[in-house]
Each structure stands twice: as structure tokens, then as C-alpha cells.
Amino acid sequence: MAVIWGVILHALGGFASGSFYLPYKKVKGWSWESYWLVGGIVSWLFVPWLLGSLTIPNLTYVLRQTDGTTLFWVYFWGVLWGFGGLTFGLAMRYLGLSLGMAVIMGLCALVGTLVPPIWGGTMSKLVSTASGQVTLLGLLVCLIGILICSRAGIMKEKSLSAAEKGESIAEYDLRKGLLVAVFSGIMSACFAFGLEAGQKIADLAVQQGADPLYKNNAILVVILLGGLTTNAVWCIYLNLKNRTYSDYLNPSYPALRNILFCAMAGTLWYFQFFFYGMGDTKLGVYRFSGWTLHMAFIIAFSSMWGLYLHEWRGANRATMRTVTFGILTVVLSTVIVGYGNYLGSEQTEEAAVPNKTKTLTQVSAETQPAQ
């Protein structure tokens, strides 16, 4: 049941991430840097501290007791992840929700999933076990699904005129979008590294009485602060360069309405990590594969939103069949990875049983009267 709940929680996180960009489409009159900064302040500062304080007893004490080296590396990975988040928004502008998510999250899944076990020296052990092999098969299927979705994007590029592309995505640019998406996908994987580096913070949170289900919320405060740093510096720079700082107080635009939609987008953005952090606690020794589950669910939900918003309007039947098949392949990969986690948990329990039996036998022998 723990594994099943882990997959469900990752699905909720994927839905939040796959849907977060929708409120931004309702913002009127503001430049990209203006609404991205407002949404970022909500998602990377206000909400993490609010929910962190509600779920982690003595949150500020936990952070004060964490050694400086751990805080530095978590913040450092957050800053690098911030570059991924920054270019993420640009990729959405150039590629749209469905194709942009597929490319970015696919690369993010592969890098974020494979690097930790390679870096930790456990890759060979994973390859030699049935559960590890099934999990790696799920990663391969996920990659195939991503490539299929990308292929659908190329087919769309070839089949539509420039005017038709602009009808569904105003700034559609496949070449520029793919370059940005590749960079964003690689840098976004740094979030997984930051979460791994911050496990000492999570352990301290549990020691202070936090429910293990929410322990990663303490790490999120530091990682997302790093992400806010990168995005805030760039957005403020663009505000000054483009003189768009007037957006916030311009009476010609519905400022309060725009702020509310930015806050909605920012809150949804944060909830992807809120649920990811909870799902991460449920996957046991195969936590590393949770990143792939998270990314795959994001691709699936964002692709569905892309279809609903008619981003593929005008595409021929062959293109639509291809993108649908790609989405289904990605969803299949989540099932395979989930089964790999299940096998891993079963093996862990079986390994624990002999040790438990041995311990009980020893205790029984020790309590027997001497003959």
C-alpha cells in the first residue's frame, strides 16, 4: 500500500505541475517577466514557508540546527534548478504546454533519475536485481514515449503553415523552443539532487516531531529559495531593461486580477513539490525512481491539457495518433516504474524477515534455563 500511495501522491504532484501554467494564460497586459516574478514569489517563498511551518514543528529551529555545508549544497542545487525553472517558462511560450512539457520533463526524468544512483555507486546493484531491472525498463519506456511526443511535434511543424501555428501558440518556434527546452530539462533535474543533499534537514525535522510524510517540506524551503534567487534576479533585470516595472501599478491593466491568477499559478507550482515530497517518502529503497514517476505524470497531464486547449489544432490524423500514442507510452512507463518499486519493497521485506526470525530465536535461546 505504501508503494501505491507513493504513485498516487506523485500523480497529484504531476497534475499540479501539468496544470500550473493555465492561470498565467488569464493574465492580461503584463509582460512575461512581470507575471513570472509575481508567481515565483508566491511559489518559491510564501507558500513553502506557510505549509512548511504548518507541517514541520519548529521549522526555523530545524534550519538553524542544520550544518552550513548541507544548507549551502541544497541552496546551490536550488539556484541551478532555478535556471531550469526560468527557461521552462520560455519553452512553454515557444512550444506550447504539451510538447514543451514532454521534452523538458523527459530530459529531467532521465538526468534526475539516473545521476543519483550513478553518483552514489549503486547503479551496478540496481542492474543486478529484478526490481532494479524493471525500474530501468520503465525509464527506457519513458524515454521512448518522450521521443514519440517530440516526433509528433516535428510532424506538426511540417504539416501546418506559420499562420496555423500562431493560432494555437502565438510565439511558436520549434528550433528556438527545443534549444531552450533541452537546457531547461537538464537544469531542472538539479531539484532531485537538492532533495537528496538535504536529507539531514528532513531527519532533523522528524526529530522535532514532524510526520515523516511531510519531512521533505523542510528541504523545500531552502531549495525553492535558491530557485527564487535565480528567477528574481533575471526577472528584475528584464523589468529594468524593458521598462516593464510599470506593469505592477499600471491602471490600464487589472492588477488585482493578474496578481490573483499569478498566485493561483504559483500555488499550483508549489503543490507539485509538496506532493512529490510526500510520495518520495513512500517509495523505500527505490526513491530514485520517484523522479521519473513525477516527470511522467507531468507529461501525461500537460499533454492532455494541450489537447484540450487545441494546441494541436489543424494537425493531421497521423500527427494526432502519434502524440496520443506518445502520451499512452509515458503513462505505461509510470506503471512499469511503480511495479519495479513494488518488487523492491517486497525484496526489502523478505530480507528483513530472516533477520527478525533470527533475532527472535536468539532471544528465545537466551531466555531458556540452563541445562
Side-chain angles (χ1 to χ4, degrees):
M1 286 303 298
V3 173
I4 294 174
W5 272 113
V7 173
I8 292 174
L9 289 168
H10 279 302
L12 291 173
F15 177 79
S17 180
S19 308
F20 92 94
Y21 205 77
L22 297 178
Y24 281 138
K25 292 180 176 292
K26 298 294 185 179
V27 175
K28 303 296 182 183
W30 281 12
S31 62
W32 174 84
E33 57 266 24
S34 297
Y35 68 71
W36 192 255
L37 177 60
V38 173
I41 291 174
V42 173
S43 61
W44 301 324
L45 183 62
F46 289 161
V47 180
W49 272 103
L50 174 62
L51 291 181
S53 299
L54 292 175
T55 56
I56 306 295
N58 304 316
L59 176 60
T60 54
Y61 175 81
V62 169
L63 296 177
R64 286 199 305 267
Q65 293 301 308
T66 304
D67 62 277
T69 301
T70 298
L71 290 175
F72 168 78
W73 282 111
V74 175
Y75 178 79
F76 172 77
W77 289 120
V79 169
L80 293 187
W81 167 77
F83 284 104
L86 185 65
T87 49
F88 180 92
L90 293 175
M92 296 301 102
R93 291 167 62 187
Y94 297 139
L95 297 178
L97 198 61
S98 54
L99 180 57
M101 284 283 195
V103 176
I104 293 174
M105 295 304 147
L107 287 169
C108 192
L110 292 173
V111 176
T113 301
L114 292 178
V115 169
I118 293 174
W119 183 266
T122 59
M123 195 66 183
S124 59
K125 182 179 179 181
L126 292 173
V127 174
S128 63
T129 63
S131 56
Q133 291 167 2
V134 171
T135 301
L136 292 175
L137 174 63
L139 296 183
L140 177 61
V141 173
C142 181
L143 175 59
I144 293 172
I146 294 158
L147 293 175
I148 294 173
C149 289
S150 300
R151 173 60 180 168
I154 296 172
M155 293 170 67
K156 174 187 176 183
E157 171 82 3
K158 293 180 178 179
S159 64
L160 300 181
S161 65
E164 289 173 326
K165 297 169 191 171
E167 289 179 4
S168 57
I169 304 171
E171 300 178 70
Y172 186 81
D173 189 320
L174 182 64
R175 184 183 299 275
K176 186 184 295 185
L178 286 177
L179 288 174
V180 174
V182 168
F183 178 81
S184 178
I186 293 173
M187 297 305 292
S188 293
C190 292
F191 186 90
F193 308 153
L195 200 62
E196 188 69 26
Q199 287 306 303
K200 287 183 179 179
I201 302 176
D203 293 339
L204 284 171
V206 173
Q207 292 174 16
Q208 287 299 308
D211 187 327
L213 184 65
Y214 304 116
K215 65 180 183 180
N216 287 328
N217 289 349
I219 310 175
L220 293 182
V221 171
V222 184
I223 296 179
L224 296 178
L225 183 61
L228 175 63
T229 303
T230 307
N231 284 263
V233 168
W234 181 248
C235 288
I236 292 173
Y237 165 74
L238 289 180
N239 274 155
L240 296 173
K241 178 185 176 182
N242 301 329
R243 299 183 182 277
T244 52
Y245 48 79
S246 60
D247 287 348
Y248 309 110
L249 299 177
N250 192 329
S252 301
Y253 305 131
L256 180 59
R257 179 178 182 275
N258 284 351
I259 290 173
L260 289 175
F261 279 117
C262 289
M264 288 172 59
T267 302
L268 278 174
W269 176 284
Y270 173 77
F271 272 120
Q272 66 170 307
F273 303 120
F274 181 77
F275 288 115
Y276 171 81
M278 290 194 292
D280 184 70
T281 65
K282 295 293 185 180
L283 297 183
V285 295
Y286 285 84
R287 286 176 51 243
F288 80 97
S289 63
W291 188 247
T292 300
L293 284 171
H294 184 65
M295 297 299 107
F297 277 122
I298 292 174
I299 294 170
F301 285 117
S302 62
S303 296
M304 292 174 186
W305 278 120
L307 294 173
Y308 176 77
L309 295 173
H310 305 294
E311 289 183 352
W312 297 87
R313 179 184 297 156
N316 56 38
R317 290 184 178 180
T319 301
M320 294 305 300
R321 284 196 299 267
T322 302
V323 69
T324 302
F325 183 60
I327 294 172
L328 292 176
T329 303
V330 170
V331 172
L332 174 62
S333 75
T334 67
V335 177
I336 297 174
V337 172
Y339 182 63
N341 277 276
Y342 170 75
L343 292 178
S345 65
E346 288 288 291
Q347 291 171 359
T348 302
E349 291 177 2
E350 290 174 1
V353 169
N355 293 331
K356 183 177 180 180
T357 303
K358 181 178 179 181
T359 303
L360 291 174
T361 303
Q362 290 173 340
V363 171
S364 177
E366 290 171 359
T367 57
Q368 291 293 325
Q371 297 295 326

